[in-house]
Amino acid sequence: MKAGLPIGVFDSGLGGLTVLDELRRALPREDFVYLGDVARLPYGSKSGEVVQKYAQRCIDYLLRQPVKAVVVACNTATAVALEMLRALSPVPVYGVIGAGARAGADATRNGKVLVLATESTVKSEAYLRAFHRIGKAVQVEQMACPLLVPLAESGWFDHPVTREVIRTYLTQASDTDYDTVVLGCTHYPLLVPSFRGFFGNEVRLVHSGEALASEVKEELKKLSLLREEGTRGKILFHTTDKVSSHGPIVRSLFGHTVEFDLVDL
Ligand code: DGL
């Protein structure tokens, strides 16, 4: 039966494990196939056309497994390719941006939100459109923070250099009165300790992946695709280049080593 199939999740690399982590918490009985396109990382500095091509290869690979639904964990791929992926996929496709914007709009009290993301996500204005669709009067400023991805990859989650980089970026915001920050990149939730070091507890930090996980659960339920019975689901990890089974992102999220199968797209 279709509900018994795994859910496919893809990202440009291992940052999407932050989204997978939220999905497995919300959906503990589901099986997942995770694909990290580490060979082509980063997507965030590439053109929309190139990211669309890469995203299409990722979804084609996941659909061949097969899977019952696909989650685009990557904000950049969601920003530039979600509509195209939906048009070509026979199964439902969910992206992080709509959920992140809805959670941001819900969280803000003063109607001022800052979205942090990659250069390509910012350029696409996908978050601005998503906030606009919600229809609530929210003033949104976007900011690209490209240096944060390598800092997260290095495991500098709570580090003076990361805090300094955050400070340097955020002092460039034109309006500093926002009360909510949307972490619009897979890697940024790993840096919450450094963000907290900068903001204290004044500002609400919204993790798009967390918001998406509960929405995916609702949607699968409506479509009768939820696995209602059974024990803890399995996760298969696939990557397009070799990665360490115990790198900082894996250790921080899973607390144990993970075996990645190398695949060619
Ligand atoms: N996964 C990307 C995102 O969420 C960040 C890393 C990259 O640039 O590929 O936008």
Side-chain angles (χ1 to χ4, degrees):
M1 217 176 91
K2 227 177 166 191
L5 292 176
I7 299 170
V9 181
F10 82 86
D11 178 47
S12 55
L14 299 187
L17 293 175
T18 59
V19 179
L20 178 70
D21 187 42
E22 297 296 339
L23 287 165
R24 67 175 185 151
R25 281 175 210 276
L27 299 158
R29 293 199 182 94
E30 299 292 339
D31 290 339
F32 292 94
V33 180
Y34 180 87
L35 173 64
D37 191 12
V38 283
R40 297 175 183 85
L41 180 91
Y43 283 10
S45 56
K46 299 202 167 75
S47 70
E49 294 73 23
V50 164
V51 174
Q52 283 180 354
K53 191 169 72 185
Y54 294 169
Q56 182 162 354
R57 287 187 197 162
C58 290
I59 200 168
D60 286 347
Y61 177 81
L62 289 173
L63 291 172
R64 286 199 299 273
Q65 300 309 303
V67 293
K68 63 182 174 187
V70 173
V71 173
V72 186
C74 180
N75 284 259
T76 307
T78 302
V80 302
L82 185 66
E83 294 316 316
M84 179 204 81
L85 297 174
R86 281 190 171 149
L88 65 82
S89 169
V91 304
V93 183
Y94 304 105
V96 268
I97 290 184
R102 280 186 285 279
D106 278 350
T108 182
R109 294 288 164 264
N110 70 358
K112 291 186 179 178
V113 177
L114 179 66
V115 175
L116 306 181
T118 64
E119 284 166 314
S120 305
T121 301
V122 167
K123 202 161 138 231
S124 76
E125 300 193 344
Y127 268 102
L128 299 187
R129 287 195 298 279
F131 273 97
H132 186 70
R133 274 197 297 273
I134 296 164
K136 191 174 158 185
V138 180
Q139 188 182 311
V140 186
E141 178 168 358
Q142 322 180 81
M143 184 172 289
C145 305
L147 292 176
L148 295 183
V149 168
L151 291 169
E153 296 269 336
S154 309
W156 289 17
F157 307 138
D158 189 8
H159 194 284
V161 170
T162 307
R163 283 197 289 278
E164 183 53 28
V165 171
I166 289 171
R167 196 191 62 75
T168 307
Y169 279 131
L170 294 185
T171 46
Q172 292 166 30
S174 57
D175 184 350
T176 50
D177 196 24
Y178 48 82
D179 69 353
T180 300
V181 173
V182 175
L183 304 175
C185 170
T186 47
H187 288 67
Y188 300 171
L190 293 158
L191 305 177
V192 162
S194 289
F195 280 113
R196 282 276 164 244
F198 177 77
F199 291 123
N201 290 320
E202 298 295 295
V203 159
R204 288 156 197 250
L205 298 177
V206 171
H207 177 354
S208 311
E210 187 181 356
L212 178 67
S214 53
E215 293 195 5
V216 169
K217 185 174 178 180
E218 289 301 309
E219 291 297 318
L220 293 183
K221 198 175 171 73
K222 274 193 226 150
L223 297 170
S224 305
L225 283 175
L226 208 57
R227 197 183 268 185
E228 308 270 10
E229 282 156 26
T231 51
R232 198 160 187 85
K234 296 186 299 294
I235 309 178
L236 297 177
F237 296 89
H238 297 180
T239 52
T240 52
D241 198 358
K242 286 184 190 155
V243 291
S244 161
S245 57
H246 57 272
I249 296 182
V250 169
R251 271 204 316 273
S252 141
L253 292 170
F254 298 102
H256 56 76
T257 60
V258 162
E259 289 315 316
F260 292 97
D261 283 335
L262 190 59
V263 300
D264 195 14
L265 298 187

